[in-house]
Structures are given as C-alpha cells and as structure tokens.
Amino acid sequence: MEIKFKKIRIRNFRGLVSFEANLEGRSVRISGANGLGKSSVADAITWVLFGKDSRRRTAFPIDPVDDAGRIIHNLDVSVELEMLIDCLLYTSDAADE
C-alpha cells in the first residue's frame, strides 16, 4: 500500500490560526525554532487520522490559544487531510464540535 499526502489544512488548532500546505506527495521536512507549531502540525495529522496526538494520547488539548497560551473561546477547530492511497484520492477531516 502506498500513501501520499496531497494537502493539509489546519484551522485554529492549538497555536495554529491557519496553516495550509500543498504537498502533492512530496517528502517534506518541517523545521524551526521552539514554539512555532511543528508539534502542532504533527498532532493535527495524527488527530485527523487516528484521534490521538503524536504521543498517542487520546486526551490532549486542541483548543486554540493566543500568544500568551490563553484559550480562545468560540472558534471552530478543524483539520483536513487529502491523501492518495494506492492512487485513489481520499479526504479525512476532523472538527471539534
């Protein structure tokens, strides 16, 4: 089985207000200083696929937060992942209700 990520869209997930990447099946490396959202991207992907974060926890915070780490209320959290699985296009999405 071959799985390739095509696109990811993240809205209001932890400290990420809006993140979108068109991957088109290419290998990607995410790097940067501490606190820029690298782990949040990994957690968003594992949340949409498995309902867990990248450390395999099912109970973890996804609430949007401001720069000071305070929760921002009344914002919809969503993650959408487009992927090719054996050349067939699938979309997986998750939203905090």
Side-chain angles (χ1 to χ4, degrees):
M1 176 182 294
E2 182 178 56
I3 300 173
K4 293 183 177 183
F5 293 165
K6 287 185 55 71
K7 183 183 284 188
I8 185 166
R9 290 181 201 94
I10 303 170
R11 301 284 180 262
N12 302 317
F13 187 92
R14 300 170 114 184
L16 298 173
V17 174
S18 178
F19 176 85
E20 186 167 324
N22 293 310
L23 308 170
E24 296 303 326
R26 295 183 308 261
S27 294
V28 175
R29 177 183 12 201
I30 299 174
S31 61
N34 288 342
L36 293 180
K38 301 176 301 294
S39 294
S40 292
V41 171
D43 287 342
I45 292 169
T46 56
W47 180 59
V48 75
L49 290 174
F50 310 111
K52 301 177 181 181
D53 71 0
S54 58
R55 290 187 272 173
R56 301 181 184 162
R57 298 177 302 178
T58 55
F60 66 100
I62 63 169
D63 298 314
V65 295
D66 63 17
D67 291 339
R70 295 180 299 251
I71 293 175
I72 303 170
H73 299 281
N74 303 316
L75 291 179
D76 294 327
V77 176
S78 66
V79 178
E80 182 177 322
L81 180 63
E82 291 181 14
M83 58 195 135
L84 290 172
I85 301 176
D86 291 336
C87 298
L88 297 174
L89 181 63
Y90 291 88
T91 300
S92 182
D93 57 14
D96 185 33
E97 304 287 326

